[in-house]
Amino acid sequence: MDKKELESKIKDLKEKHNIVILAHNYQIPEIQDIADFVGDSLDLALKATKTDAKNIIFCGVDFMAESARILNPDKNVIIPDKEAKCPMAAMVDPESLGWLINENPDADVVSYINTTADVKAISDICCTSSNGAKIVKSRSAKKIIFVPDRNLGLYVQRFTPEKELILWQGICPIHHQIGKEEILQIKDKHPDAEILVHPECRPEIIDIADHAFSTNGMVNHVKKSEAKEFIIGTEKDICHRLKKETPDKTFHSLKSAVCPNMKKITLEKVLKSMESLGPKIELSEIIMQKAKLPLQRMMDVGRGD
Ligand code: 13P
Ligand code: SF4
């Protein structure tokens, strides 16, 4: 089936089955183009609570689709490929986190949305890359256990010197490998370009950047900025959205910044999942109930960028 045929079938099935398609900013361009909404983790979680559609097809990775399900227990949340998993979310498990909580009974647990539902269920509040510092500041405890991304934790600590962050040692393999050389080589050729990076990058990368933002934060910044050229220090397919929404600006992506997990979702798989209305995200009732509170608390605090 060619791309046009796939797109037209997807459009018909959307109406037939009352489906909304949510896609993360890192999805391949073809997926971004057929989605009803494209956004970052926080935006997509918010969108998931606002849709009237009975079925949500979530084009992203496991923890994002799980969050949509937790926030919408009466809706079907479908992920077109169950193997689209975020390796960072798998770097913390509830048992090991439980040990750390026992050792620090006076600490609050702030878990990045890139965690499993089981970890959220024992957290006080969640955060995303958009609102990490705002969330940490919103807690009355001085000590904060921050899981799982140590780079995001180090970034948040820069804005919250009054708090003592205990950092889990997880990382995003894609952002953590981004090197200074790749960015500075592009900067050499395009000296007027602003450097925008994601807070999952290492501190030395944040230090050479003009700004660090969540993925939606980057889109919003580019729209407001006077600059005409940007070096984008995050997954490269966000440049598709950036070009679409700001066609008069130029974007330089990093060759090394590709998240293979996000690329698992294809048009063919989306069509298949719309025909079968599966695979569905299934979580136990008790875990969903417990994980909803930290997510809801995060949404009540809102965006920080
Ligand atoms: P955003 O919430 O900024 O889109 O980040 C999600 C993510 O997985 C970054 O690697
Ligand atoms: Fe997970 Fe990193 Fe991919 Fe984001 S870019 S989904 S943190 S592996």
Side-chain angles (χ1 to χ4, degrees), residues 26 61 63 86-88 114 172-175 200 259 261-262:
Y26 296 163
V61 287
F63 73 84
C86 170
M88 184 207 281
N114 300 39
C172 160
I174 289 86
H175 288 88
E200 289 176 13
C259 174
N261 320 288
M262 286 280 180

Side-chain angles (χ1 to χ4, degrees), residues 208-222:
I208 60 159
D210 293 294
H211 303 281
F213 286 121
S214 70
T215 57
N216 265 28
M218 284 187 196
V219 177
N220 296 336
H221 172 79
V222 162

Side-chain angles (χ1 to χ4, degrees), residues 130-304:
S130 148
N131 59 11
K134 200 172 170 192
I135 295 283
V136 164
K137 280 179 193 283
S138 78
R139 305 306 297 174
S140 54
K142 182 175 163 51
K143 246 194 210 181
I144 304 285
I145 297 173
F146 191 93
V147 299
D149 186 11
R150 77 160 186 257
N151 288 330
L152 178 63
L154 287 166
Y155 179 68
V156 166
Q157 182 78 85
R158 294 182 188 209
F159 305 97
T160 55
E162 72 283 11
K163 303 282 188 186
E164 184 192 326
L165 265 62
I166 303 166
L167 302 180
W168 200 264
Q169 294 301 307
I171 47 122
C172 160
I174 289 86
H175 288 88
H176 193 72
Q177 62 75 43
I178 290 177
K180 266 190 194 175
E181 305 68 32
E182 194 178 0
I183 294 179
L184 294 177
Q185 270 173 17
I186 304 176
K187 182 78 179 170
D188 259 5
K189 288 192 200 137
H190 306 277
D192 294 334
E194 267 192 357
I195 303 173
L196 309 183
V197 303
H198 196 275
E200 289 176 13
C201 291
R202 284 174 293 127
E204 64 180 80
I205 302 300
I206 310 261
D207 288 341
I208 60 159
D210 293 294
H211 303 281
F213 286 121
S214 70
T215 57
N216 265 28
M218 284 187 196
V219 177
N220 296 336
H221 172 79
V222 162
K223 286 180 181 167
K224 287 187 279 180
S225 171
E226 304 255 293
K228 292 273 172 237
E229 258 183 282
F230 301 87
I231 298 166
I232 302 298
T234 192
E235 217 282 342
K236 68 175 192 40
D237 275 339
I238 192 181
C239 292
H240 179 68
R241 180 169 172 206
L242 288 166
K243 272 186 222 144
K244 236 169 131 172
E245 295 189 19
T246 43
D248 56 323
K249 305 209 172 182
T250 305
F251 303 98
H252 304 284
S253 59
L254 307 183
K255 280 197 184 67
S256 69
V258 179
C259 174
N261 320 288
M262 286 280 180
K263 309 298 148 197
K264 290 212 158 88
I265 313 287
T266 60
L267 280 182
E268 286 81 2
K269 288 180 193 170
V270 169
L271 177 61
K272 213 169 149 201
S273 68
M274 291 175 96
E275 286 167 342
S276 63
L277 292 182
K280 290 187 178 113
I281 298 286
E282 313 274 10
L283 295 165
S284 84
E285 283 299 321
I286 184 86
I287 288 294
M288 286 213 283
Q289 275 169 26
K290 287 186 178 169
K292 191 170 181 175
L293 182 64
L295 276 170
Q296 193 55 57
R297 281 182 178 147
M298 169 187 80
M299 301 216 295
D300 293 344
V301 174
R303 292 200 76 85

